[in-house]
Amino acid sequence: MSDLRSLYEEVILDHNRNPRNYLHKPEGANHHAYGFNPLCGDEFTIHLTLKDGVITDVGFEGAGCAISTASASLMTEAIKGMSVAEADALFRSVHNLLTHEGEAGDIGKLQVLSGVHEYPARVKCATLAWHTLNAALHNDKETVTTE
Amino acid sequence: MSAVSPMAAMPLDIDRVRGDFPALHQQVHGNPLAYLDNAATTQKPRRVIEAISHYYEHDNANVHRGVHALSIRATAAFESARERVRAHLNASSEREIVFVRGATEAINLVAQSYGRACIGADDEILITEMEHHSNIVPWQMLCEQTGAQLRVVPINDAGELVPGAFEDLLGERTRLVAISHCSNALGTINPVREMITRAHAAGAKVLLDGAQAAAHLAVDVQALDCDFYALSGHKLYGPTGIGVLWARGELLDAMPPWQGGGEMIRQVSFEKSVYAPPPARFEAGTPNIAGAIGLAAALDYLDALGLANIAAHEQGLLAYATDRAAATPGMRIIGTAAHKASILSFELEGIHPHDLGTIFDSEGVAIRAGHHCAMPVMKHFCVPATARASFGLYNTRDDVDALFRAVDRARDLFA
Ligand SMILES: Cc1ncc(COP(=O)(O)O)c(C=O)c1O
């Protein structure tokens, strides 16, 4: 299939090879969450430093496929410096980008994840880190699964 | 493989065989389908599909309940399917053949009926590290209910049982040994014949999970001398939703029912119900009649080809694929037992199995990526998941070549 490249964009392959903020433990991290996809075994833990409603630092650890790893890596880059409200809005935009349930709007570099929509079996890979972020920000659950 | 008969195997007429399976003849993402996910489920030959349609078009009725012509025909077809299964497994009586939904239900039946009646707080159940979750969880549930202990025979890095470990763990408290005849995640064929002899000498009963093995080797329950044998129709080129528990007649006779309802009783009153003898005692409710008929057609098909011939064909493919894997940089086979069925589990350095699954699919190559319902096996090999190609009777060297073209494609993409 010629459009395999639309799933495995160069940016995604790059973030898979060299994930950003990976194994980085933010100073004063005060929000954490663990996400797990029991179907494929992908698992990530996200650590956040939240100061006065702003994400001042973020890091993640764990292991997963290229889509879930790149999505986590791109996410950490995007949310650093955002307020919780901005991160929540971005979470919804990415969700819309992947599921076409609504308008994604302009989401900059994260647009590279748009190809995932054509691969329904892989949407959960791309959303794992985002659901984990959501849990870390709102401390609602200890473990998130994308099943 | 030990199961190949010493007589020279007859080569399969592979073009004709492939012609028997309608689903194989399709393009997937513009490429001819290479279906290599047979350990998950097999495709169905036309005669299975036709047997099911014929039943629904002509004979559909409930069984054992009507005096009308259709019910009599349906009952006869259902009961002759039972006889067909008996013959295939060389069981001594068709009363020993219980129709269930699949291997999972067969194992749960043994756990909840035999297990709850005969296994107590000081007893041990012995399984292995390579079991499918369906041969782990029912025993854990039983242990919780009865206080029995679950003991686990470890595997080595080839994916074989550690030599001597089974004998060490087998003791006077061992009431039941539950092992896979063939592992779905590794392909390992266990030395069940010797294990059964030892287990019986220690006073334990033996359940074999034959979900995988039954598609690759001829199963003779009397020669094996096991006590319970579980299998799934859909892995045997038959339909989903039908499977078999074979159990020794004297064990079944003594086992209590595990589900109540119609079919399984002899007499019901509000004071007391009297249960039917086996196998009806274990078949509460309307059974999967079409499924049983389809399974019988699948066994006809398998026995006409001959399991020894099928095994020889599959072993040729496995050897070819194993050689190609060895020549592929970064490819590690997971499961290198001396006795293996045609299952190739592997990882490719730097590419997650889930990505392999998607890339292979784009080439028309269907494999399974995941933990294969054998999380303890993944843990043993320190991998989150593996990619698994499993070969069936209709696969060819072309399918293996397509697999390795897809491997090259993945390596190029991720280079
Ligand atoms: C070794 C083994 N045991 C048990 C099962 C369960 O079979 P089913 O899901 O058909 O009940 C499987 C199927 O994947 C298997 O491979």
Side-chain angles (χ1 to χ4, degrees), chain A residues 1 4 8 13 38 40 66 122, chain B residues 352 354-355 358 362 371 413 415:
Chain A
M1 198 165 41
L4 205 51
Y8 294 108
L13 293 173
C40 53
R122 307 304 300 278
Chain B
H352 193 280
H354 212 182
D355 294 308
T358 297
S362 76
H371 53 60
L413 194 66

Side-chain angles (χ1 to χ4, degrees), chain B residues 35-43 132 182-187 211-212 215-216 232 234-237 341-344 366 368 372 388-392 394-395:
Chain B
Y35 186 80
L36 300 177
D37 196 16
N38 295 288
T41 198
T42 49
Q43 299 302 335
H132 187 279
C182 170
S183 149
N184 68 310
L186 299 164
Q212 292 296 332
H216 303 293
S232 288
H234 71 95
K235 295 187 198 276
L236 277 179
Y237 307 91
S342 49
I343 290 174
L344 192 77
R368 172 88 180 265
H372 316 295
R388 180 188 69 189
S390 47
F391 308 105
Y394 38 60
N395 288 123

Side-chain angles (χ1 to χ4, degrees), chain B residues 296-318:
Chain B
L299 297 180
D300 284 342
Y301 186 81
L302 283 179
D303 289 340
L305 290 182
L307 271 156
N309 302 328
I310 292 168
H313 173 74
E314 293 173 346
Q315 288 295 307
L317 293 176
L318 179 66

